């Protein structure tokens, strides 16, 4: 399998499950609570590790108790932490999540007091040891420099970028990646229209990349570099339990399938199936489900 480097964040997630999402100024009792590691990039790496890949993370951690929980979890999944920047002070990013048991939706309040992973940190990583490079679309100026460095020094290594939020300047990442993973939230924030039209519009900005757009219960679309438009339906579970991390799982499914040389159509369907399976369970521990 592939050796994959992911650059992005890890978080501490405090997840409260409630019977229904509370109105403003209400006081409700949580049905359950769990505390675990989260973060888009590390979520995808944990799924990829369970799919058999050798994964490494480039991110930032502070020397504080919550970081131990994060490193323990990543170590349990065999994630290589050699590229992590470690700081003596700070607080790991923390997400306070309300999980609605009625429909599986999740509402997140996020706090962070930690700098982003820098271009200078990325420069110290030996990219020759990796078969795939994956980046969260954040810390845009530095991430663009990382992608450009990878493009110049390792031009044959696939470079995927997650475009989840409409961060200022994020469009400068588009011509630097070989795979762009768009979210429905990004499209809607841009007042975008139908998925197919959005991807065709994006083709002008990223002619070198395969384009992927996940669209929740409507499945996902892809537009290949050759101009082929592909759609896969969603594969929802019998009961939606937890949608937290579904998008990260979908991204991992795409990377896994393409790293295994599947076609873009096969990758899209495989990722939709994997994300659907995740929505039917709490958390990202899929061990034993891939036989």
């Amino acid at each position: 399998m592939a050796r994959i480097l992911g650059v992005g964040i890890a978080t501490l997630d405090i997840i409260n499950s409630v019977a229904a999402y509370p109105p403003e100024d209400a006081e409700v009792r949580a049905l359950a609570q769990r505390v675990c590691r989260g973060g888009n990039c590390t979520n995808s790496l944990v799924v990829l590790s369970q799919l058999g890949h050798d994964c490494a993370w480039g991110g930032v951690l502070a020397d504080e108790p919550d970081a131990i929980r994060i490193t323990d979890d990543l170590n349990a999944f065999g994630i290589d932490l050699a590229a992590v920047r470690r700081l003596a002070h700070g607080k790991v990013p923390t997400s306070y999540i309300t999980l609605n048991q009625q429909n599986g939706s999740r509402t997140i309040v996020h706090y962070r007091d930690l700098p982003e992973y820098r271009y200078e940190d990325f420069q110290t990583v030996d990219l020759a040891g990796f078969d795939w490079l994956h980046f969260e679309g954040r810390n845009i100026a530095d991430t663009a420099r990382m992608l450009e460095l990878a493009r110049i020094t390792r031009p044959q290594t696939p470079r995927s970028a997650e475009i989840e939020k409409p961060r200022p300047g994020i469009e400068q990442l588009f011509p630097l990646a070989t795979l762009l993973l768009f979210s429905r939230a990004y499209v809607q924030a841009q007042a975008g229209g139908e998925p197919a039209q959005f991807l065709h519009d994006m083709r002008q900005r990223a002619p070198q990349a395969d384009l992927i757009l996940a669209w929740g219960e409507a499945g996902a679309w892809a537009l290949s570099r050759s101009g082929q438009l592909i759609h896969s339906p969603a594969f929802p579970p019998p009961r939606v339990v937890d949608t937290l991390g579904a998008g990260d799982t979908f991204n991992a499914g795409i990377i896994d399938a393409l790293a295994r040389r599947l076609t873009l159509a096969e990758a899209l369907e495989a990722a939709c199936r994997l994300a659907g399976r995740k929505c039917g369970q709490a958390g990202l521990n899929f061990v034993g489900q891939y036989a």
Side-chain angles (χ1 to χ4, degrees):
M1 285 294 187
R3 177 146 170 77
I4 300 169
L5 172 66
V7 175
I9 68 168
T11 67
L12 181 73
D13 286 356
I14 301 173
I15 305 165
N16 288 310
S17 297
V18 295
Y21 191 77
E24 186 175 357
D25 205 30
E27 181 177 336
V28 300
R29 185 181 296 275
L31 302 176
Q33 183 182 86
R34 58 189 170 96
V35 181
C36 61
R37 180 216 41 81
N40 294 16
C41 177
T42 48
N43 279 348
S44 293
L45 291 175
V46 161
V47 175
L48 284 163
S49 74
Q50 293 176 83
L51 293 169
H53 299 283
D54 187 6
C55 298
W57 174 49
V60 182
L61 286 175
D63 182 13
E64 53 107 356
D66 287 335
I68 297 173
R69 186 188 294 266
I70 290 172
T71 55
D72 285 350
D73 181 81
L74 294 175
N75 285 331
F77 289 99
I79 309 298
D80 183 350
L81 304 180
V84 171
R85 177 187 175 200
R86 299 179 184 270
L87 302 178
H89 304 286
K91 177 71 178 71
V92 298
T94 305
S95 292
Y96 302 87
I97 302 166
T98 301
L99 182 62
N100 184 349
Q101 293 289 344
Q102 281 189 337
N103 58 14
S105 71
R106 80 288 185 278
T107 302
I108 304 173
V109 176
H110 186 68
Y111 173 78
R112 65 175 294 121
D113 181 25
L114 204 64
E116 299 276 4
Y117 199 63
R118 308 168 303 179
Y119 173 73
E120 291 77 11
D121 304 317
F122 185 74
Q123 276 185 304
T124 66
V125 181
D126 181 8
L127 301 183
F130 295 99
D131 305 303
W132 193 291
L133 305 173
H134 176 63
F135 301 84
E136 279 190 49
R138 57 186 307 115
N139 190 25
I140 303 304
D142 279 49
T143 301
R145 295 179 69 194
M146 295 178 206
L147 280 161
E148 178 66 11
L149 178 65
R151 185 187 68 81
I152 293 170
T153 60
R154 303 297 299 173
Q156 302 306 314
T157 303
R159 304 177 304 278
S160 54
E162 178 195 25
I163 312 299
E164 183 194 28
K165 296 182 175 69
R167 303 180 190 276
I170 197 169
E171 293 78 12
Q172 65 185 282
L173 305 184
F174 295 178
L176 300 173
T178 59
L179 174 69
L180 291 170
L181 297 155
F182 293 98
S183 73
R184 178 166 61 177
Y186 175 82
V187 177
Q188 293 175 335
Q190 301 301 306
E194 293 300 313
Q197 185 59 54
F198 171 82
L199 292 179
H200 281 298
D201 291 344
M202 288 300 103
R203 166 58 60 233
Q204 301 175 25
R205 297 188 178 189
Q208 81 295 336
D210 291 319
L211 309 178
I212 305 287
L213 173 55
W215 206 261
E217 63 281 355
W221 278 260
L223 185 64
S224 71
R225 279 171 257 192
S226 64
Q228 180 187 13
L229 182 68
I230 305 162
H231 174 254
S232 171
F235 296 91
R239 184 175 74 90
V240 174
V241 173
D242 175 16
T243 61
L244 184 66
D248 308 327
T249 302
F250 174 86
N251 291 345
I254 292 287
I255 294 170
D256 165 66
L258 294 180
R260 291 189 289 114
R261 311 291 185 184
L262 272 63
T263 67
L264 197 59
E266 291 169 332
L268 201 66
E269 179 177 331
C272 285
R273 289 187 181 277
L274 188 63
R277 183 180 301 171
K278 185 271 157 290
C279 290
Q281 68 167 64
L284 294 173
N285 192 336
F286 291 94
V287 171
Q289 297 190 29
Y290 294 117

